[in-house]
Amino acid sequence: MSVLNSHISPLAKIGQGVKIGKLCLIHDNVEIGDNTIVSDFCTLGEPLHSSYKNQDYVNPLLTIGQNSLIRSHAVIYAGSKIGNNFQTGHRVTIRENMIIGHNVSVGTLCDLQGFGEIGNYARLHSNIFICQGSILEDYVFVYPGVTLTDDHTPPSSHLRPPTIGRYSQIGAKATILPGSKIGCHALIAAGSLVTRNIPDFMMVSGNPAKIIKDAREIKNRETGERHYPWPYNFSRGMPWQDIGFKEYCVKNNLNEFGLKA
Ligand SMILES: CC(C)(COP(=O)(O)OP(=O)(O)OC[C@H]1O[C@@H](n2cnc3c(N)ncnc32)[C@H](O)[C@@H]1OP(=O)(O)O)[C@@H](O)C(=O)NCCC(=O)NCCS
């Protein structure tokens, strides 16, 4: 099958209403949900390393959910599972064995190294490196230029990827060192170097990052009001957009911080 000079494998499963731009390459092992748009020059289902060595190797399935928007020049490898309403910027690379939830966005020039998990409603802004095996829970936002690392003594085979708890915010150009476990609702200030575990709700900054205060003390400079937990003050595109975070927590049997009680 060929659409506007794209090559779409006849074995790929393409949903209803899917639009595919020019010069795309959609491999055999790809399933695309209904109404998803794949913009120009994208490669979906990029073969894994083993398939170059072994002709009989069957690349694992890549699934991309419904109503997604894959912008131009994205390369998404075989063997990842991506939910509905997924959005990318341009020139994104997503390696194999990522499990990505629903309503996730991954900005321009992000590099996701695979074998990790990204929860629902997570937002990755541009130019972010997510090392292999990282776990980002629901509603984690990561800002431009952040680097997650997994090898304490490079080069080695002992990888300890970081984990980031629900609702945490990782400020621009922060670097997270291997094995760091960042709790829920934490706030990592721009440019921080995180070398150890960060407890829930803590704002850290500096190199090495130190706990400065409870993020719930921080006020928004425009409103003068306390800003965190941020879901009480930000709802665009979030599931509480129409009802507010308080009501959302009640409806979903969560505590006031949106966590399981
Ligand atoms: C974390 C943050 C919200 C702190 O806000 P705040 O509590 O209002 O901070 P203040 O300006 O009152 O600073 C508190 C202290 O922390 C220090 N500090 C704040 N941010 C810092 C940072 N990024 N790195 C190092 N120190 C920092 C301040 O210098 C100050 O120290 P002092 O008491 O010795 O003077 C803010 O600095 C920040 O980094 N925001 C994220 C920006 C970002 O990445 N946005 C992404 C969207 S593009």
Side-chain angles (χ1 to χ4, degrees):
M1 183 178 176
S2 181
V3 179
L4 293 171
N5 298 324
S6 285
H7 174 76
I8 302 167
S9 161
L11 299 178
K13 293 194 179 123
I14 311 291
Q16 300 283 321
V18 169
K19 290 187 184 139
I20 295 175
K22 300 182 193 77
L23 295 166
C24 291
L25 185 50
I26 316 278
H27 288 274
D28 300 348
N29 48 303
V30 174
E31 266 183 40
I32 304 178
D34 295 348
N35 302 315
T36 282
I37 298 170
V38 181
S39 192
D40 304 336
F41 302 102
C42 289
T43 300
L44 302 184
E46 169 74 15
L48 305 191
H49 191 245
S50 304
S51 60
Y52 292 103
K53 294 199 224 153
N54 173 1
Q55 276 191 331
D56 299 328
Y57 182 81
V58 177
N59 282 291
L61 187 66
L62 165 67
T63 56
I64 297 175
Q66 302 175 358
N67 301 314
S68 298
L69 171 57
I70 314 294
R71 289 197 173 80
S72 61
H73 294 274
V75 178
I76 307 183
Y77 279 59
S80 287
K81 186 170 170 16
I82 301 177
N84 298 333
N85 307 313
F86 180 59
Q87 287 215 25
T88 79
H90 307 279
R91 298 183 190 278
V92 160
T93 304
I94 301 178
R95 293 287 306 267
E96 65 272 26
N97 295 335
M98 286 298 296
I99 297 175
I100 298 180
H102 300 301
N103 304 289
V104 170
S105 64
V106 175
T108 292
L109 283 173
C110 283
D111 182 359
L112 280 55
Q113 286 282 298
F115 296 89
E117 287 175 33
I118 298 192
N120 299 316
Y121 292 94
R123 286 189 188 170
L124 277 60
H125 287 243
S126 42
N127 214 10
I128 292 165
F129 178 81
I130 302 289
C131 64
Q132 227 181 60
S134 302
I135 295 180
L136 280 61
E137 294 184 350
D138 298 348
Y139 310 112
V140 165
F141 288 20
V142 184
Y143 295 102
V146 166
T147 300
L148 271 54
T149 66
D150 58 9
D151 189 354
H152 184 64
T153 49
S156 84
S157 306
H158 307 287
L159 304 184
R160 293 168 62 235
T163 62
I164 306 177
R166 285 175 162 230
Y167 306 101
S168 285
Q169 303 289 301
I170 315 298
K173 294 238 173 184
T175 297
I176 315 297
L177 289 191
S180 305
K181 291 190 190 329
I182 296 175
C184 299
H185 286 287
L187 174 59
I188 311 301
S192 302
L193 182 75
V194 174
T195 58
R196 57 191 66 215
N197 296 347
I198 308 296
D200 295 348
F201 296 107
M202 289 302 117
M203 187 279 254
V204 302
S205 69
N207 175 2
K210 298 264 193 272
I211 295 176
I212 305 295
K213 56 181 132 178
D214 189 315
R216 288 168 290 188
E217 293 168 25
I218 297 175
K219 293 183 174 155
N220 180 289
R221 288 191 178 162
E222 304 304 314
T223 65
E225 302 289 329
R226 288 182 194 269
H227 190 67
Y228 298 95
W230 62 266
Y232 285 99
N233 293 302
F234 180 88
S235 63
R236 184 165 33 87
M238 297 290 117
W240 53 87
Q241 182 163 332
D242 296 327
I243 55 172
F245 192 60
K246 196 172 174 186
E247 183 66 22
Y248 167 82
C249 292
V250 171
K251 275 191 161 172
N252 289 282
N253 213 13
L254 301 170
N255 69 14
E256 64 186 304
F257 303 114
L259 302 169
K260 290 216 167 72

